[in-house]
Structures are given as C-alpha cells and as structure tokens.
Amino acid sequence: MRLAVKLTLTIAAASIIPTGAATLVGRELVRRGSRAEFDRALDSAEEKVASRYLSLQEEVTKVVERLADPDDQFTGLILIAIANGGPDDDTFRQLATAAPRVMRERGLDVLQVLGSRGEILASGHFPGRIGDIDSRFGTEAGRELHAQKDARLLPERILLEGKPATRLTVQAQRLVRSTLGGKVLVVGGQLLGRAFARSLRLPGGTVMRLEDAQGVELGVELGDESSDWRRFAGYPQRVYQLKDDKGRVAARVVLAVPDDQLRASLRAINYAAGTLALCGLLLALLLGAIAGRGLSRRLGDLCDASAAVAAGDLEQQLAERGRDEVSALVRAFNRMTSELKDSKQKLRAAERIAAWQEIARRIAHEIKNPLFPIQTSIETLRKVYLKKHPDFDEIFNESTSTILEEVTRLKNIVSEFSQFARLPKPRLAPCDLAELMPHVLSLYADGAVALESLLPPGLPPVLADREQLTQVLVNLVKNAREALSGRPEPRVRIEASSADGFLQILVVDNGPGFGEDVAGQIFTPYFTTKGQAGGTGLGLAIVQRIVAEHGGHVEARSAPGEGATFVVHLPLAVP
C-alpha cells in the first residue's frame, strides 16, 4: 500500500474514530437517562396496578360482606326459605329474577348463593346452574374455611355472549347464619379483564396488557383502541404477577413504556453523527491526498536516489527545502552521498597504491628467482676461467645456457607485466561465443589434453571485446592444462548457458583441485601453486581484470581431488 494512501486512511480514521466514539457515548448517555425515566414510569405503573388490584379486592369483599347480612333483603329471602324447609319453585323463580338484578345493582360480575351441601341456590351470572353442586368449595368445613378469607383470584364459569366460558374473577365468600338455624355461602366477584385494565389510568403514557397464565389476553389499555399490542413488544417492559389462593401465578399484567421519543432521538443522533463523520471523512481524504501526495513524492525521490546510490551512482543530490523531518532526512542523504563519494575516491586511490605495491613486491620476488641461477652461473664461469679448468668449454656452454634460459624467463615476466599494465579499454560489441570456441580449441589441438566444448544451440551473444574475450578463454584453458600436468586421462570441458541477463561460461577440468586457502588467492597477481611452477601467475589476474571491465565477474569452485571449475559471468548483448 502506497504511503499516500496510508496517510489518507490514517487521517480519515483519526477523523471518524472520535466522531464514532462521541456518538456511542452520546447515545449511551441518552439511553441511560431515558431508561431511568422508563424505570420510574414502570415503578409508578406497577404501584398503580398493585394498588388498584388491592382496591378491587377490598371493593368485592365489602360488597359480599353487605350481602352476607341476614337482614339483607336478597339473602334474607333465601334464609327464610331454608328455615321453612327449603326454597320452593316459586322461591327459585323469584331468586332467578332477583339474582341478576342484585348482581348488577351491587356492581358485581359474579353472584351466587350455595346451600349447606354446596348446591347452587341462586346465580346471577349463570342462572342455568341453579341446583348444581359447586365442588370447588368442597365440604361444609371447607366452605366455612373459604368464607374466612379475603377476596382472591379464581376461575369462574360465566355466560359470555350467551355461551359458557371460564374467566378469571376476583371473588370473596362469606358464610351467613340465620337465627332460625339455616346458613348459606354468599359468593361475589368481579371479572379481571378489560374493565380492570381501563380503570388503571397508568401514568406517563404507560400501556398494559392483562393476560392469564397461558398468555391469553384478558384486556389491554393502550391509549388508542385501534392500536395493536404487538407494536409495543419491543418497548421497555415490566411484568406484575397476580397469584391465586394457592400461590400459583394466575394472571400477569405486562406494563410497557413507549420509547418512540428515545428512538427518534437516537435516530437524530445517528443522522447528525453520520453527517458529521461524512463531512470529516471527505475533508480528511482531501487533506490526506494533498499532504500525502507531496510527502510521497519527496520520499519517492529519496527512494529512487537511494537505489541509484546502491547501484553505484554517488553523484545523487536532492533539493533541500523546508525544515521538517523529511527535509532533515534529505540533508542527511546528501551528506552521506558526498562522504561516500569522497570515501570511494580515497578507497580507490588506496586500493590502487596497495595493488601496485603488491604487484611490485611480487615482481621483485619473480625477478629475484632467475637472478640467483644467473649469478651462480657467472660465478662458476669466473672461477673455472681463472683456474684454467680443462673442462671450461663444457662448463661455459652449460652456464651460458642457464643464463639464457633465466634471461628469457625475465623477459616473459616483463612482457606479461607490461601487457597487464597496458591492458586497453574493451571495445564492446555483440560477440558470438560459438564462433570463438573453434579458434580457442585449435590453439591446444596437440592431443595432450582432451578438450570438449558443450555449447547449446541458439546461445545469445554477449557484449564483449572479441580479442579480450578470446584471451580470457585461452588463459582459462591454459591454466586448466597446466593443472592437469601428469594426471591420468586429462580432460577439459567448456560449457555455457544464459540466465538473468548474463552468459555463464564454465571451464571444468579433472585435475587435483584446490582448497579454500588457495581459492581466496587464486586471482591474486603472481600467485602460483606448485603444480604451476612454469607460469608467472598473471594469467588468472588478467582474466579477472578483463571480466570486471566487461561488467561481469569470475569465480572459482573446487575441492581437493575433485577438479576445478572456473565460472565467468558476462552480460548479454541486450538490444
């Protein structure tokens, strides 16, 4: 990823992240404040439900207690009938008419009177059950026990739109005893349903749903009769449980506080934050693009200049402007290239001095070797001449032959050194290795060493000086032949291949090879081995110098007893 893109993205993230964090914090603060208000509204609504349910129980209990008075006109009629041997048909007909009326007048939804055996003597909510046994109240002792309790939540069979149905009711029972000896159980109650829901008048826009233990709706209070409770399902809720006389949950009041205003506020916050983030992002992208483009261009120039320096161009200098960190880096780069240039010039001068000192030392050593036999031969001639030795002629011939051989050797040393010192600058041109090899091999066609050339067809040409490349090949083959002196079945193989813009030439022999100590000095001028005592040691040094001036390099690979391989890398003649 480019630096400009990274910088732009960083600035964009720096502008978006604070906005996003502020949005989240703001949303959470608004949500917490609203939740506190919702909790207060639900607490108030829950208290309202509990209070209204308790009031309903008290109301039902009071009404039933008034009905349970022996002097009550309705209850007294039943007690008198029981005292006279039980209600007759006329009494039952009279009760069937009076019970619904009394039930409505007293504000009840359930009204029935049970005899001592649990038989229904009168029923205002279900006249058809007169004469039935109500098993819910059990034995007489059980009915007396129930009669002592406050109003409680019980299911009751009623007529709903002319059809029997079971509904939850808040009921109270009272046992009434007559002074004439009769007793009845008065049961009264109100339905737990829509009327109860409407009577709550919940605060703060709170809505409610009344349902039984199975989740069947008994009544709702939504503030809008056309509303559906399902749209309040996602609002903050609280459940208030209503239990029966056995402690089981018989009904639930689900309270909910509409949070439309909160949702609208959160949407407004999101919209504002989104707009702000978008504007910040566009501004960040613009600023990042402007700043990143300039910075990227300056760093790109620095990278290109660094690559050029790494490739050997020490003339690189960049324009210095500004006082920022990049400008400081540019100034440091310019100082570095200047110092590298000076150091390289000094190093080259020192290397040249050291190289010529080494060459001078080795030339002195090479010249000193033939001077000793010359000196010895002359001293011998002088002695035998002064003594008039009878074998003077023979000694003279032998000594002068030695002197001439050593003088020839000195001439060769001087000639090779002169050639090494005056090596001309190569005249580069495309050169076909396949055309050169026959000439090189013909120079050593004496059969002393088997020569083999393995050049693949279509080998690309190299960019080289034809004469100097021939000299490189001749010196390498000559060096290999000298290394094979006295070896059984001597053989030299020449191979070539191209890869990565270079031509690789391998000269391989099956000679004795050499170790790592020799490999580090083999291209040093005048370095020789015992197996190459006849040479001067400049052949491989000339090879290395020629190859280097052609933009390539040469390396030697070997191990004792495994032969030697010299690899020359020369650039191809690429158009």
Side-chain angles (χ1 to χ4, degrees):
M1 184 181 295
R2 294 179 61 85
L3 178 62
V5 177
K6 290 183 178 180
L7 182 60
T8 302
L9 293 179
T10 301
I11 296 177
S15 66
I16 293 176
I17 291 176
T19 303
T23 301
L24 293 177
V25 172
R27 282 174 56 90
E28 185 61 24
L29 292 176
V30 172
R31 186 181 289 109
R32 287 186 180 182
S34 299
R35 282 179 179 173
E37 294 181 4
F38 295 154
D39 289 339
R40 287 193 293 270
L42 290 173
D43 290 340
S44 177
E46 190 174 15
E47 292 176 0
K48 188 77 173 179
V49 171
S51 176
R52 180 68 189 96
Y53 182 67
L54 180 60
S55 298
L56 180 60
Q57 288 178 312
E58 292 175 351
E59 290 172 7
V60 170
T61 300
K62 289 179 180 180
V63 172
V64 172
E65 285 178 346
R66 287 194 294 267
L67 282 171
D69 188 348
D71 295 331
D72 184 85
Q73 184 178 0
F74 176 71
T75 307
L77 177 62
I78 298 174
L79 290 174
I80 292 172
I82 291 174
N84 292 329
D88 54 16
D89 293 339
D90 291 337
T91 304
F92 276 124
R93 282 193 293 272
Q94 185 178 359
L95 290 175
T97 302
R101 175 180 54 78
V102 172
M103 181 181 71
R104 289 192 299 272
E105 291 175 351
R106 304 298 175 91
L108 297 176
D109 298 314
V110 173
L111 175 61
Q112 65 182 11
V113 181
L114 284 73
S116 60
R117 297 188 305 275
E119 72 276 19
I120 299 175
L121 302 176
S123 178
H125 62 281
F126 204 144
R129 293 196 63 192
I130 294 176
D132 293 345
I133 301 297
D134 193 334
S135 60
R136 292 179 302 165
F137 299 101
T139 63
E140 182 175 353
R143 286 191 293 276
E144 292 185 4
L145 180 62
H146 277 290
Q148 303 305 317
K149 293 183 178 181
D150 293 332
R152 59 195 185 279
L153 201 57
L154 291 173
E156 184 65 41
R157 295 283 289 175
I158 63 172
L159 287 177
L160 190 63
E161 297 180 356
K163 296 181 180 180
T166 302
R167 290 291 183 268
L168 283 174
T169 60
V170 178
Q171 293 186 14
Q173 303 89 28
R174 287 296 182 266
L175 193 63
V176 186
R177 299 178 185 273
S178 172
T179 57
L180 300 177
K183 57 182 178 180
V184 293
L185 181 66
V186 179
V187 179
Q190 287 189 6
L191 287 173
L192 188 68
R194 297 184 185 278
F196 176 77
R198 293 194 188 98
S199 67
L200 289 176
R201 298 179 183 176
L202 299 175
T206 306
V207 297
M208 65 154 289
R209 181 178 190 266
L210 180 63
E211 61 185 30
D212 62 14
Q214 287 72 40
V216 177
E217 182 182 300
L218 302 176
V220 294
E221 181 59 33
L222 305 177
D224 181 0
E225 292 296 336
S226 62
S227 298
D228 187 351
W229 170 259
R230 286 176 296 183
R231 81 180 185 92
F232 297 96
Y235 291 168
Q237 294 185 356
R238 183 84 56 81
V239 178
Y240 183 78
Q241 296 179 343
L242 302 177
K243 299 182 179 180
D244 59 14
D245 58 339
K246 296 182 180 179
R248 296 173 299 189
V249 176
R252 288 185 290 267
V253 178
V254 183
L255 303 168
V257 179
D259 59 354
D260 298 313
Q261 185 175 358
L262 171 62
R263 299 187 184 201
S265 299
L266 294 180
R267 284 194 297 270
I269 292 175
N270 291 340
Y271 178 77
T275 303
L276 182 61
L278 180 59
C279 294
L281 177 61
L282 294 177
L283 181 61
L285 291 176
L286 178 61
L287 295 177
I290 296 173
R293 184 177 180 183
L295 180 60
S296 179
R297 183 174 61 251
R298 296 172 66 189
L299 291 179
D301 294 342
L302 187 59
C303 290
D304 294 341
S306 299
V309 170
D313 182 7
L314 299 181
E315 300 295 333
Q316 293 290 324
Q317 289 287 308
L318 298 176
E320 300 180 10
R321 58 179 181 273
R323 302 182 62 84
D324 55 9
E325 288 79 0
V326 178
S327 300
L329 184 60
V330 169
R331 289 192 291 271
F333 174 81
N334 290 338
R335 287 196 302 270
M336 179 195 70
T337 54
S338 299
E339 292 173 359
L340 284 177
K341 184 178 178 181
D342 294 340
S343 299
K344 185 176 181 180
Q345 292 174 350
K346 294 177 181 178
L347 180 60
R348 284 180 176 176
E351 287 177 346
R352 286 195 295 268
I353 294 173
W356 284 110
Q357 287 177 342
E358 178 64 17
I359 291 173
R361 185 184 66 81
R362 290 185 176 274
I363 289 176
H365 176 74
E366 292 295 326
I367 292 176
K368 185 177 180 180
N369 288 336
L371 287 178
F372 178 74
I374 291 175
Q375 179 182 359
T376 304
S377 298
I378 293 175
E379 290 176 350
T380 302
L381 284 176
R382 183 180 179 81
K383 289 179 181 179
V384 297
Y385 175 75
L386 294 175
K387 293 181 178 181
K388 306 297 182 177
H389 198 282
D391 296 326
F392 175 78
D393 293 339
E394 182 180 352
I395 295 173
F396 179 81
N397 290 332
E398 182 179 347
S399 298
T400 54
S401 296
T402 300
I403 293 172
L404 290 175
E405 288 178 1
E406 297 302 325
V407 169
T408 301
R409 185 177 174 188
L410 286 173
K411 288 175 63 180
N412 290 336
I413 292 173
V414 173
S415 176
E416 286 193 7
F417 172 72
S418 176
Q419 181 184 12
F420 180 78
R422 297 195 312 270
L423 191 65
K425 186 175 182 180
R427 291 174 293 180
L428 303 178
C431 185
D432 190 351
L433 183 64
E435 295 180 359
L436 294 181
M437 286 310 302
H439 172 66
V440 174
L441 297 180
S442 65
L443 298 177
Y444 300 99
D446 54 5
V449 175
L451 300 177
E452 184 179 11
S453 176
L454 300 177
L455 302 182
L459 200 64
V462 295
L463 192 63
D465 184 307
R466 183 183 182 88
E467 294 182 1
Q468 293 187 9
L469 179 57
T470 302
Q471 184 177 0
V472 166
L473 297 174
V474 169
N475 285 3
L476 289 176
V477 173
K478 178 183 177 183
N479 179 78
R481 283 170 54 91
E482 292 174 352
L484 295 172
S485 178
R487 301 287 293 182
E489 299 181 2
R491 183 173 63 257
V492 176
R493 184 176 74 255
I494 303 174
E495 301 176 0
S497 63
S498 61
D500 300 328
F502 280 82
L503 182 70
Q504 296 180 353
I505 306 172
L506 282 73
V507 179
V508 185
D509 64 58
N510 60 344
F514 49 81
E516 294 182 359
D517 54 338
V518 175
Q521 307 178 63
I522 200 162
F523 294 109
T524 303
Y526 294 103
F527 175 80
T528 61
T529 63
K530 294 181 180 179
Q532 297 171 339
T536 64
L538 278 176
L540 294 181
I542 292 175
V543 167
Q544 186 184 47
R545 179 175 174 182
I546 292 175
V547 172
E549 292 188 357
H550 278 70
H553 63 280
V554 61
E555 56 182 313
R557 306 170 185 169
S558 180
E562 297 182 4
T565 300
F566 289 85
V567 185
V568 177
H569 300 264
L570 291 173
L572 295 175
V574 180

